[in-house]
Amino acid sequence: MSRKTLIYQVPAQEGNRDAGKRFLIEEMPATRAERWAMRALLALMGGNVELGDIRPGHGMAGLMSAGLEKLAALNWETVQPLYDELLECVYALPKPDNDAVRVRLTPAQADTQVEEISTLLALRVEALGLHVGFSLGDALATLIARSAAGTSPNASTSPS
């Protein structure tokens, strides 16, 4: 069985230096994803974030179901390694006619392949979405809508 992948193409926008660039995002191996999820869970717990009903078997999706707004309680030093690991799931596809040519986007390599902050953020969002099976954009939109309406701040992360 192979890992899930997706190809992300930076949308064309005026002034976007990355417009049209393509990236391959590949799911982490199960053991690495489990370690990432556990470290994220421990970081949340260390930040005194109320986690609600998360069980170890829920993995990355369970972490996100805790509510996106709770991530603000963490400090950058705790989050940075997790944040960087999401980018390590990404490969630049610099040759439009040959997807076999790939450049892994370690934080050091990212500067040679990506020119816009918005591209880096989009790639991390897509990598997280590939692992948790939902659209982070949809979850954020739900969270914002509920906050504006004064209802429960817990964003629904179920794909259904």
Side-chain angles (χ1 to χ4, degrees), residues 10-143:
V10 179
Q13 294 176 338
E14 187 175 330
N16 186 332
R17 296 169 288 183
D18 292 327
K21 289 183 181 178
R22 298 171 58 242
F23 299 88
L24 172 74
I25 303 172
E26 183 178 63
E27 179 182 30
M28 292 178 197
T31 54
R32 185 171 162 212
E34 178 191 37
R35 284 191 303 268
W36 188 97
M38 288 306 297
R39 286 182 15 248
L41 177 63
L42 291 171
L44 289 168
M45 291 169 57
N48 294 319
V49 175
E50 178 66 38
L51 297 177
D53 189 28
I54 295 179
R55 293 182 183 89
H58 290 168
M60 288 183 166
L63 287 174
M64 294 312 296
S65 70
L68 298 171
E69 75 282 356
K70 296 176 181 177
L71 298 179
L74 302 177
N75 65 44
W76 177 246
E77 291 75 24
T78 302
V79 173
Q80 184 178 7
L82 297 166
Y83 191 69
D84 288 345
E85 283 180 51
L86 287 175
L87 198 59
E88 291 174 7
C89 297
V90 180
Y91 298 84
L93 299 174
K95 299 206 179 269
D97 57 343
N98 186 354
D99 287 352
V101 176
R102 301 175 180 174
V103 177
R104 183 183 290 267
L105 288 193
T106 63
Q109 281 289 3
D111 285 338
T112 67
Q113 302 296 319
V114 178
E115 298 181 66
E116 300 288 348
I117 293 169
S118 60
T119 302
L120 290 172
L121 293 172
L123 291 169
R124 285 181 171 103
V125 166
E126 292 293 332
L128 184 59
L130 180 68
H131 288 87
V132 301
F134 78 100
S135 164
L136 189 56
D138 290 346
L140 286 171
T142 301
L143 176 64

